[in-house]
Amino acid sequence: EELSRKLNEPKLQAHSLNRLGNWSVNIGQTSDGLKSHYQALEIFERAEDEQGMADTHDLLGMAAMQHGDQIGSYDEYQYAIQLFRKLDDKHGLASALIGACNASYWDETVRAPSQSRAENQQMAMEALELARQIGWTAGQAFAKWSAAIGLGNRGIFGEALTHAKEALRIA
């Protein structure tokens, strides 16, 4: 990040901030990760770089989820979904749809976005179809796994098990 600043390359700096933010989140320093991602988002917004904004909102969705903010996570994924649709970025869209599903798959002890089972399953199945279209098998397995988690959390165990077995087969 320091080098990109010295080179006066704002987009490179934003990408570096996103990498740093993602690394911070992965090692449990979610506050630092969120800060880096928001700095990156500001740079991409100033540059009117919609792909950078979409990617950053996607990363913010994961960071907020890991930070324990399910509603913030869901909101970030919704921003990413809108931008990925506009950009026709099927890979990004599939990933963000799965993230949004996961942000709302919690029990009554967690403050989570209110979303119906049908809405969650529709997003998971859209992600699955997009992953199939682009030949992304890891995404297919992740979408099936996401559907299994959502159904299991709602007590629909038979259908959840079917999706889980399919996720395992694909993986």
Side-chain angles (χ1 to χ4, degrees):
E1 185 224 340
E2 187 178 319
L3 178 59
S4 63
R5 198 176 350 201
K6 286 180 184 177
L7 293 172
N8 196 27
E9 292 287 339
K11 286 184 184 181
L12 182 60
Q13 181 184 4
H15 286 293
S16 296
L17 283 163
N18 272 339
R19 297 292 46 92
L20 176 63
N22 195 50
W23 179 76
S24 295
V25 168
N26 285 333
I27 63 167
Q29 297 175 355
T30 56
S31 293
D32 292 341
L34 285 163
K35 181 181 173 186
S36 294
H37 289 316
Y38 281 120
Q39 289 173 334
L41 184 59
E42 286 179 28
I43 293 168
F44 284 129
E45 286 173 342
R46 279 195 305 270
E48 298 179 5
D49 182 331
E50 290 183 326
Q51 185 68 55
M53 290 187 294
D55 293 338
T56 305
H57 280 296
D58 189 46
L59 289 165
L60 278 163
M62 179 58 70
M65 188 182 314
Q66 294 301 318
H67 194 66
D69 179 5
Q70 304 331 113
I71 292 174
S73 172
Y74 184 81
D75 291 345
E76 292 296 344
Y77 280 124
Q78 289 303 312
Y79 290 127
I81 288 166
Q82 290 173 7
L83 287 166
F84 285 134
R85 283 192 197 286
K86 181 179 179 184
L87 296 165
D88 195 32
D89 180 340
K90 291 178 181 177
H91 187 275
L93 178 56
S95 177
L97 285 165
I98 294 167
C101 287
N102 291 333
S104 60
Y105 284 159
W106 299 94
D107 61 34
E108 63 277 354
T109 64
V110 176
R111 191 166 172 253
S114 59
Q115 184 169 335
S116 72
R117 171 187 170 264
E119 290 170 316
N120 277 41
Q121 291 303 297
Q122 186 276 329
M123 285 196 312
M125 293 304 101
E126 182 182 358
L128 175 63
E129 181 54 34
L130 288 166
R132 284 181 179 147
Q133 287 175 16
I134 61 175
W136 184 32
T137 53
Q140 292 172 45
F142 193 26
K144 280 290 196 175
W145 182 248
S146 180
I149 291 170
L151 291 164
N153 282 355
R154 287 182 167 86
I156 306 167
F157 301 119
E159 198 175 334
L161 185 58
T162 299
H163 283 286
K165 286 178 179 178
E166 182 65 9
L168 182 59
R169 185 196 66 74
I170 294 168

